[in-house]
PDB file of all heavy atoms in Angstrom:
ATOM      1  N   LEU N   1       6.539 -14.121  -4.248  1.00 98.00           N
ATOM      2  CA  LEU N   1       5.699 -13.790  -5.377  1.00 98.00           C
ATOM      3  C   LEU N   1       6.189 -12.554  -6.134  1.00 98.00           C
ATOM      4  O   LEU N   1       6.455 -12.538  -7.351  1.00 98.00           O
ATOM      5  CB  LEU N   1       4.197 -13.599  -4.942  1.00 98.00           C
ATOM      6  CG  LEU N   1       3.247 -13.265  -5.995  1.00 98.00           C
ATOM      7  CD1 LEU N   1       2.857 -14.506  -6.807  1.00 98.00           C
ATOM      8  CD2 LEU N   1       1.979 -12.673  -5.346  1.00 98.00           C
ATOM      9  N   LEU N   2       6.356 -11.449  -5.350  1.00 98.00           N
ATOM     10  CA  LEU N   2       6.757 -10.190  -5.976  1.00 98.00           C
ATOM     11  C   LEU N   2       8.140 -10.235  -6.550  1.00 98.00           C
ATOM     12  O   LEU N   2       8.396  -9.627  -7.607  1.00 98.00           O
ATOM     13  CB  LEU N   2       6.656  -9.076  -4.927  1.00 98.00           C
ATOM     14  CG  LEU N   2       5.279  -8.737  -4.455  1.00 98.00           C
ATOM     15  CD1 LEU N   2       5.323  -7.719  -3.287  1.00 98.00           C
ATOM     16  CD2 LEU N   2       4.383  -8.254  -5.587  1.00 98.00           C
ATOM     17  N   LYS N   3       9.075 -10.997  -5.897  1.00 98.00           N
ATOM     18  CA  LYS N   3      10.468 -11.078  -6.405  1.00 98.00           C
ATOM     19  C   LYS N   3      10.477 -11.849  -7.685  1.00 98.00           C
ATOM     20  O   LYS N   3      11.552 -11.796  -8.417  1.00 98.00           O
ATOM     21  CB  LYS N   3      11.338 -11.671  -5.351  1.00 98.00           C
ATOM     22  CG  LYS N   3      11.571 -10.762  -4.146  1.00 98.00           C
ATOM     23  CD  LYS N   3      12.435 -11.383  -3.118  1.00 98.00           C
ATOM     24  CE  LYS N   3      12.735 -10.450  -1.920  1.00 98.00           C
ATOM     25  NZ  LYS N   3      13.487 -11.074  -0.794  1.00 98.00           N
ATOM     26  N   ALA N   4       9.463 -12.582  -7.943  1.00 98.00           N
ATOM     27  CA  ALA N   4       9.462 -13.467  -9.198  1.00 98.00           C
ATOM     28  C   ALA N   4       8.898 -12.767 -10.395  1.00 98.00           C
ATOM     29  O   ALA N   4       8.848 -13.281 -11.540  1.00 98.00           O
ATOM     30  CB  ALA N   4       8.665 -14.774  -8.972  1.00 98.00           C
ATOM     31  N   ILE N   5       8.493 -11.457 -10.231  1.00 98.00           N
ATOM     32  CA  ILE N   5       7.898 -10.697 -11.372  1.00 98.00           C
ATOM     33  C   ILE N   5       9.049 -10.063 -12.177  1.00 98.00           C
ATOM     34  O   ILE N   5       9.700  -9.182 -11.708  1.00 98.00           O
ATOM     35  CB  ILE N   5       6.925  -9.642 -10.782  1.00 98.00           C
ATOM     36  CG1 ILE N   5       5.756 -10.315 -10.134  1.00 98.00           C
ATOM     37  CG2 ILE N   5       6.420  -8.800 -12.027  1.00 98.00           C
ATOM     38  CD1 ILE N   5       4.861  -9.305  -9.436  1.00 98.00           C
ATOM     39  N   PRO N   6       9.128 -10.380 -13.477  1.00 97.00           N
ATOM     40  CA  PRO N   6      10.216  -9.806 -14.305  1.00 97.00           C
ATOM     41  C   PRO N   6       9.788  -8.670 -15.123  1.00 97.00           C
ATOM     42  O   PRO N   6      10.603  -7.822 -15.535  1.00 97.00           O
ATOM     43  CB  PRO N   6      10.667 -11.000 -15.237  1.00 97.00           C
ATOM     44  CG  PRO N   6       9.407 -11.777 -15.424  1.00 97.00           C
ATOM     45  CD  PRO N   6       8.627 -11.662 -14.118  1.00 97.00           C
ATOM     46  N   SER N   7       8.490  -8.540 -15.352  1.00 97.00           N
ATOM     47  CA  SER N   7       7.973  -7.536 -16.297  1.00 97.00           C
ATOM     48  C   SER N   7       7.980  -6.143 -15.703  1.00 97.00           C
ATOM     49  O   SER N   7       7.877  -6.029 -14.433  1.00 97.00           O
ATOM     50  CB  SER N   7       6.569  -7.913 -16.743  1.00 97.00           C
ATOM     51  OG  SER N   7       5.749  -7.968 -15.644  1.00 97.00           O
ATOM     52  N   PRO N   8       7.932  -5.141 -16.472  1.00 97.00           N
ATOM     53  CA  PRO N   8       7.823  -3.722 -15.995  1.00 97.00           C
ATOM     54  C   PRO N   8       6.465  -3.652 -15.196  1.00 97.00           C
ATOM     55  O   PRO N   8       5.452  -4.142 -15.617  1.00 97.00           O
ATOM     56  CB  PRO N   8       7.788  -2.882 -17.241  1.00 97.00           C
ATOM     57  CG  PRO N   8       8.469  -3.752 -18.350  1.00 97.00           C
ATOM     58  CD  PRO N   8       8.109  -5.175 -18.016  1.00 97.00           C
ATOM     59  N   THR N   9       6.545  -2.929 -14.060  1.00 98.00           N
ATOM     60  CA  THR N   9       5.391  -2.816 -13.272  1.00 98.00           C
ATOM     61  C   THR N   9       5.274  -1.388 -12.772  1.00 98.00           C
ATOM     62  O   THR N   9       6.182  -0.697 -12.377  1.00 98.00           O
ATOM     63  CB  THR N   9       5.641  -3.738 -11.960  1.00 98.00           C
ATOM     64  OG1 THR N   9       5.870  -5.053 -12.397  1.00 98.00           O
ATOM     65  CG2 THR N   9       4.460  -3.695 -11.031  1.00 98.00           C
ATOM     66  N   ILE N  10       4.019  -0.957 -12.774  1.00 98.00           N
ATOM     67  CA  ILE N  10       3.599   0.276 -12.162  1.00 98.00           C
ATOM     68  C   ILE N  10       2.845   0.056 -10.917  1.00 98.00           C
ATOM     69  O   ILE N  10       1.794  -0.698 -10.951  1.00 98.00           O
ATOM     70  CB  ILE N  10       2.697   1.155 -13.102  1.00 98.00           C
ATOM     71  CG1 ILE N  10       3.473   1.431 -14.450  1.00 98.00           C
ATOM     72  CG2 ILE N  10       2.285   2.493 -12.424  1.00 98.00           C
ATOM     73  CD1 ILE N  10       4.644   2.489 -14.226  1.00 98.00           C
ATOM     74  N   TYR N  11       3.316   0.534  -9.836  1.00 98.00           N
ATOM     75  CA  TYR N  11       2.687   0.309  -8.522  1.00 98.00           C
ATOM     76  C   TYR N  11       1.905   1.584  -8.148  1.00 98.00           C
ATOM     77  O   TYR N  11       2.535   2.600  -7.837  1.00 98.00           O
ATOM     78  CB  TYR N  11       3.703  -0.042  -7.406  1.00 98.00           C
ATOM     79  CG  TYR N  11       3.240  -0.155  -6.035  1.00 98.00           C
ATOM     80  CD1 TYR N  11       2.036  -0.860  -5.672  1.00 98.00           C
ATOM     81  CD2 TYR N  11       3.971   0.422  -4.964  1.00 98.00           C
ATOM     82  CE1 TYR N  11       1.651  -0.930  -4.380  1.00 98.00           C
ATOM     83  CE2 TYR N  11       3.558   0.353  -3.663  1.00 98.00           C
ATOM     84  CZ  TYR N  11       2.366  -0.360  -3.385  1.00 98.00           C
ATOM     85  OH  TYR N  11       1.941  -0.449  -2.043  1.00 98.00           O
ATOM     86  N   LEU N  12       0.553   1.545  -8.219  1.00 98.00           N
ATOM     87  CA  LEU N  12      -0.233   2.597  -7.856  1.00 98.00           C
ATOM     88  C   LEU N  12      -0.630   2.557  -6.379  1.00 98.00           C
ATOM     89  O   LEU N  12      -1.162   1.565  -5.946  1.00 98.00           O
ATOM     90  CB  LEU N  12      -1.455   2.692  -8.688  1.00 98.00           C
ATOM     91  CG  LEU N  12      -1.427   2.816 -10.180  1.00 98.00           C
ATOM     92  CD1 LEU N  12      -2.749   3.007 -10.872  1.00 98.00           C
ATOM     93  CD2 LEU N  12      -0.463   3.953 -10.521  1.00 98.00           C
ATOM     94  N   LYS N  13      -0.327   3.609  -5.672  1.00 98.00           N
ATOM     95  CA  LYS N  13      -0.549   3.616  -4.183  1.00 98.00           C
ATOM     96  C   LYS N  13      -1.413   4.862  -3.834  1.00 98.00           C
ATOM     97  O   LYS N  13      -0.997   5.970  -4.037  1.00 98.00           O
ATOM     98  CB  LYS N  13       0.725   3.625  -3.453  1.00 98.00           C
ATOM     99  CG  LYS N  13       0.583   3.780  -1.898  1.00 98.00           C
ATOM    100  CD  LYS N  13       0.216   2.467  -1.226  1.00 98.00           C
ATOM    101  CE  LYS N  13       0.301   2.606   0.220  1.00 98.00           C
ATOM    102  NZ  LYS N  13      -0.801   3.342   0.903  1.00 98.00           N
ATOM    103  N   ALA N  14      -2.634   4.567  -3.249  1.00 97.00           N
ATOM    104  CA  ALA N  14      -3.330   5.712  -2.652  1.00 97.00           C
ATOM    105  C   ALA N  14      -2.675   6.032  -1.362  1.00 97.00           C
ATOM    106  O   ALA N  14      -2.213   5.207  -0.592  1.00 97.00           O
ATOM    107  CB  ALA N  14      -4.841   5.270  -2.388  1.00 97.00           C
ATOM    108  N   GLU N  15      -2.568   7.319  -1.104  1.00 96.00           N
ATOM    109  CA  GLU N  15      -1.929   7.813   0.143  1.00 96.00           C
ATOM    110  C   GLU N  15      -2.488   7.182   1.337  1.00 96.00           C
ATOM    111  O   GLU N  15      -3.693   6.977   1.517  1.00 96.00           O
ATOM    112  CB  GLU N  15      -1.973   9.365   0.254  1.00 96.00           C
ATOM    113  CG  GLU N  15      -1.099  10.100  -0.721  1.00 96.00           C
ATOM    114  CD  GLU N  15      -1.031  11.582  -0.463  1.00 96.00           C
ATOM    115  OE1 GLU N  15      -1.658  12.047   0.507  1.00 96.00           O
ATOM    116  OE2 GLU N  15      -0.416  12.275  -1.209  1.00 96.00           O
ATOM    117  N   THR N  16      -1.615   6.812   2.259  1.00 97.00           N
ATOM    118  CA  THR N  16      -1.988   6.122   3.505  1.00 97.00           C
ATOM    119  C   THR N  16      -2.729   7.052   4.425  1.00 97.00           C
ATOM    120  O   THR N  16      -2.321   8.256   4.624  1.00 97.00           O
ATOM    121  CB  THR N  16      -0.749   5.501   4.223  1.00 97.00           C
ATOM    122  OG1 THR N  16      -0.057   4.644   3.328  1.00 97.00           O
ATOM    123  CG2 THR N  16      -1.198   4.712   5.446  1.00 97.00           C
ATOM    124  N   ASN N  17      -3.851   6.610   4.986  1.00 95.00           N
ATOM    125  CA  ASN N  17      -4.529   7.384   5.963  1.00 95.00           C
ATOM    126  C   ASN N  17      -5.142   6.523   7.015  1.00 95.00           C
ATOM    127  O   ASN N  17      -5.450   5.328   6.799  1.00 95.00           O
ATOM    128  CB  ASN N  17      -5.558   8.303   5.355  1.00 95.00           C
ATOM    129  CG  ASN N  17      -6.694   7.560   4.674  1.00 95.00           C
ATOM    130  OD1 ASN N  17      -6.410   6.572   3.960  1.00 95.00           O
ATOM    131  ND2 ASN N  17      -7.963   7.957   4.892  1.00 95.00           N
ATOM    132  N   TYR N  18      -5.344   7.090   8.171  1.00 96.00           N
ATOM    133  CA  TYR N  18      -5.899   6.339   9.329  1.00 96.00           C
ATOM    134  C   TYR N  18      -7.085   7.073   9.939  1.00 96.00           C
ATOM    135  O   TYR N  18      -7.219   8.309   9.811  1.00 96.00           O
ATOM    136  CB  TYR N  18      -4.811   6.194  10.432  1.00 96.00           C
ATOM    137  CG  TYR N  18      -3.574   5.343  10.122  1.00 96.00           C
ATOM    138  CD1 TYR N  18      -2.579   5.892   9.411  1.00 96.00           C
ATOM    139  CD2 TYR N  18      -3.596   4.031  10.427  1.00 96.00           C
ATOM    140  CE1 TYR N  18      -1.469   5.075   9.034  1.00 96.00           C
ATOM    141  CE2 TYR N  18      -2.445   3.216  10.093  1.00 96.00           C
ATOM    142  CZ  TYR N  18      -1.418   3.815   9.406  1.00 96.00           C
ATOM    143  OH  TYR N  18      -0.301   3.050   9.086  1.00 96.00           O
ATOM    144  N   GLY N  19      -8.016   6.314  10.493  1.00 94.00           N
ATOM    145  CA  GLY N  19      -9.047   6.857  11.239  1.00 94.00           C
ATOM    146  C   GLY N  19      -8.678   7.408  12.673  1.00 94.00           C
ATOM    147  O   GLY N  19      -7.517   7.129  13.034  1.00 94.00           O
ATOM    148  N   GLN N  20      -9.535   8.160  13.262  1.00 93.00           N
ATOM    149  CA  GLN N  20      -9.227   8.666  14.539  1.00 93.00           C
ATOM    150  C   GLN N  20      -8.981   7.538  15.597  1.00 93.00           C
ATOM    151  O   GLN N  20      -8.267   7.801  16.584  1.00 93.00           O
ATOM    152  CB  GLN N  20     -10.357   9.614  15.096  1.00 93.00           C
ATOM    153  CG  GLN N  20     -10.443  10.865  14.187  1.00 93.00           C
ATOM    154  CD  GLN N  20     -11.564  11.748  14.762  1.00 93.00           C
ATOM    155  OE1 GLN N  20     -12.304  11.469  15.610  1.00 93.00           O
ATOM    156  NE2 GLN N  20     -11.546  13.008  14.291  1.00 93.00           N
ATOM    157  N   ASP N  21      -9.578   6.362  15.372  1.00 94.00           N
ATOM    158  CA  ASP N  21      -9.350   5.286  16.201  1.00 94.00           C
ATOM    159  C   ASP N  21      -8.109   4.431  15.864  1.00 94.00           C
ATOM    160  O   ASP N  21      -7.912   3.364  16.443  1.00 94.00           O
ATOM    161  CB  ASP N  21     -10.539   4.330  16.160  1.00 94.00           C
ATOM    162  CG  ASP N  21     -11.016   3.893  14.807  1.00 94.00           C
ATOM    163  OD1 ASP N  21     -10.219   4.296  13.814  1.00 94.00           O
ATOM    164  OD2 ASP N  21     -11.983   3.213  14.663  1.00 94.00           O
ATOM    165  N   GLY N  22      -7.330   4.916  14.889  1.00 96.00           N
ATOM    166  CA  GLY N  22      -6.117   4.283  14.502  1.00 96.00           C
ATOM    167  C   GLY N  22      -6.240   3.173  13.502  1.00 96.00           C
ATOM    168  O   GLY N  22      -5.275   2.504  13.093  1.00 96.00           O
ATOM    169  N   VAL N  23      -7.462   2.977  13.002  1.00 97.00           N
ATOM    170  CA  VAL N  23      -7.714   1.888  11.982  1.00 97.00           C
ATOM    171  C   VAL N  23      -7.147   2.347  10.668  1.00 97.00           C
ATOM    172  O   VAL N  23      -7.339   3.507  10.241  1.00 97.00           O
ATOM    173  CB  VAL N  23      -9.279   1.627  11.818  1.00 97.00           C
ATOM    174  CG1 VAL N  23      -9.494   0.769  10.648  1.00 97.00           C
ATOM    175  CG2 VAL N  23      -9.754   1.026  13.111  1.00 97.00           C
ATOM    176  N   LEU N  24      -6.459   1.463  10.003  1.00 97.00           N
ATOM    177  CA  LEU N  24      -5.834   1.782   8.721  1.00 97.00           C
ATOM    178  C   LEU N  24      -6.962   1.801   7.677  1.00 97.00           C
ATOM    179  O   LEU N  24      -7.572   0.740   7.375  1.00 97.00           O
ATOM    180  CB  LEU N  24      -4.779   0.697   8.305  1.00 97.00           C
ATOM    181  CG  LEU N  24      -4.183   0.784   6.973  1.00 97.00           C
ATOM    182  CD1 LEU N  24      -3.327   2.065   6.815  1.00 97.00           C
ATOM    183  CD2 LEU N  24      -3.346  -0.455   6.737  1.00 97.00           C
ATOM    184  N   TYR N  25      -7.167   2.988   7.063  1.00 95.00           N
ATOM    185  CA  TYR N  25      -8.205   3.119   6.059  1.00 95.00           C
ATOM    186  C   TYR N  25      -7.654   2.763   4.609  1.00 95.00           C
ATOM    187  O   TYR N  25      -8.432   2.369   3.725  1.00 95.00           O
ATOM    188  CB  TYR N  25      -8.709   4.549   5.984  1.00 95.00           C
ATOM    189  CG  TYR N  25      -9.679   4.894   7.155  1.00 95.00           C
ATOM    190  CD1 TYR N  25     -10.008   3.950   8.151  1.00 95.00           C
ATOM    191  CD2 TYR N  25     -10.242   6.161   7.229  1.00 95.00           C
ATOM    192  CE1 TYR N  25     -10.881   4.253   9.167  1.00 95.00           C
ATOM    193  CE2 TYR N  25     -11.084   6.476   8.223  1.00 95.00           C
ATOM    194  CZ  TYR N  25     -11.367   5.466   9.206  1.00 95.00           C
ATOM    195  OH  TYR N  25     -12.252   5.842  10.192  1.00 95.00           O
ATOM    196  N   ALA N  26      -6.339   2.798   4.481  1.00 95.00           N
ATOM    197  CA  ALA N  26      -5.729   2.513   3.165  1.00 95.00           C
ATOM    198  C   ALA N  26      -5.593   0.972   2.985  1.00 95.00           C
ATOM    199  O   ALA N  26      -5.748   0.187   3.879  1.00 95.00           O
ATOM    200  CB  ALA N  26      -4.405   3.225   3.082  1.00 95.00           C
ATOM    201  N   ALA N  27      -5.265   0.607   1.744  1.00 96.00           N
ATOM    202  CA  ALA N  27      -5.071  -0.782   1.442  1.00 96.00           C
ATOM    203  C   ALA N  27      -3.941  -1.380   2.193  1.00 96.00           C
ATOM    204  O   ALA N  27      -3.929  -2.551   2.647  1.00 96.00           O
ATOM    205  CB  ALA N  27      -4.840  -0.972  -0.095  1.00 96.00           C
ATOM    206  N   ASN N  28      -2.857  -0.647   2.301  1.00 94.00           N
ATOM    207  CA  ASN N  28      -1.740  -1.059   3.157  1.00 94.00           C
ATOM    208  C   ASN N  28      -1.048   0.173   3.669  1.00 94.00           C
ATOM    209  O   ASN N  28      -1.208   1.308   3.255  1.00 94.00           O
ATOM    210  CB  ASN N  28      -0.849  -1.999   2.379  1.00 94.00           C
ATOM    211  CG  ASN N  28      -0.244  -1.413   1.077  1.00 94.00           C
ATOM    212  OD1 ASN N  28      -0.398  -0.265   0.825  1.00 94.00           O
ATOM    213  ND2 ASN N  28       0.277  -2.279   0.296  1.00 94.00           N
ATOM    214  N   SER N  29      -0.126  -0.053   4.666  1.00 96.00           N
ATOM    215  CA  SER N  29       0.582   1.098   5.351  1.00 96.00           C
ATOM    216  C   SER N  29       1.762   1.490   4.462  1.00 96.00           C
ATOM    217  O   SER N  29       2.155   0.828   3.530  1.00 96.00           O
ATOM    218  CB  SER N  29       1.026   0.627   6.695  1.00 96.00           C
ATOM    219  OG  SER N  29       1.981  -0.438   6.505  1.00 96.00           O
ATOM    220  N   ASP N  30       2.358   2.577   4.875  1.00 97.00           N
ATOM    221  CA  ASP N  30       3.603   3.011   4.220  1.00 97.00           C
ATOM    222  C   ASP N  30       4.697   1.969   4.348  1.00 97.00           C
ATOM    223  O   ASP N  30       5.434   1.710   3.415  1.00 97.00           O
ATOM    224  CB  ASP N  30       4.062   4.406   4.772  1.00 97.00           C
ATOM    225  CG  ASP N  30       3.204   5.474   4.372  1.00 97.00           C
ATOM    226  OD1 ASP N  30       2.400   5.367   3.370  1.00 97.00           O
ATOM    227  OD2 ASP N  30       3.214   6.542   5.075  1.00 97.00           O
ATOM    228  N   ALA N  31       4.788   1.285   5.559  1.00 97.00           N
ATOM    229  CA  ALA N  31       5.732   0.324   5.736  1.00 97.00           C
ATOM    230  C   ALA N  31       5.520  -0.922   4.812  1.00 97.00           C
ATOM    231  O   ALA N  31       6.486  -1.465   4.254  1.00 97.00           O
ATOM    232  CB  ALA N  31       5.796  -0.143   7.262  1.00 97.00           C
ATOM    233  N   ASP N  32       4.277  -1.283   4.698  1.00 97.00           N
ATOM    234  CA  ASP N  32       3.872  -2.358   3.657  1.00 97.00           C
ATOM    235  C   ASP N  32       4.211  -1.979   2.298  1.00 97.00           C
ATOM    236  O   ASP N  32       4.784  -2.845   1.502  1.00 97.00           O
ATOM    237  CB  ASP N  32       2.454  -2.744   3.864  1.00 97.00           C
ATOM    238  CG  ASP N  32       2.064  -3.325   5.171  1.00 97.00           C
ATOM    239  OD1 ASP N  32       2.962  -3.898   5.795  1.00 97.00           O
ATOM    240  OD2 ASP N  32       0.889  -3.177   5.557  1.00 97.00           O
TER     241      ASP N  32
END
């Protein structure tokens, strides 16, 4: 899907953060 996008794209990313229990609080991880 992403490789098929030809148009200019701005990717907005909120900084990744985790809870004390290791749960990912962000939409996706830095690796993602």
Side-chain angles (χ1 to χ4, degrees):
L1 180 77
L2 293 175
K3 289 177 179 178
I5 297 173
S7 62
T9 300
I10 301 290
Y11 173 45
L12 297 187
K13 174 77 171 76
E15 285 188 3
T16 303
N17 63 317
Y18 293 86
Q20 292 183 349
D21 54 2
V23 171
L24 174 64
Y25 284 0
N28 53 15
S29 67
D30 288 342
D32 293 332

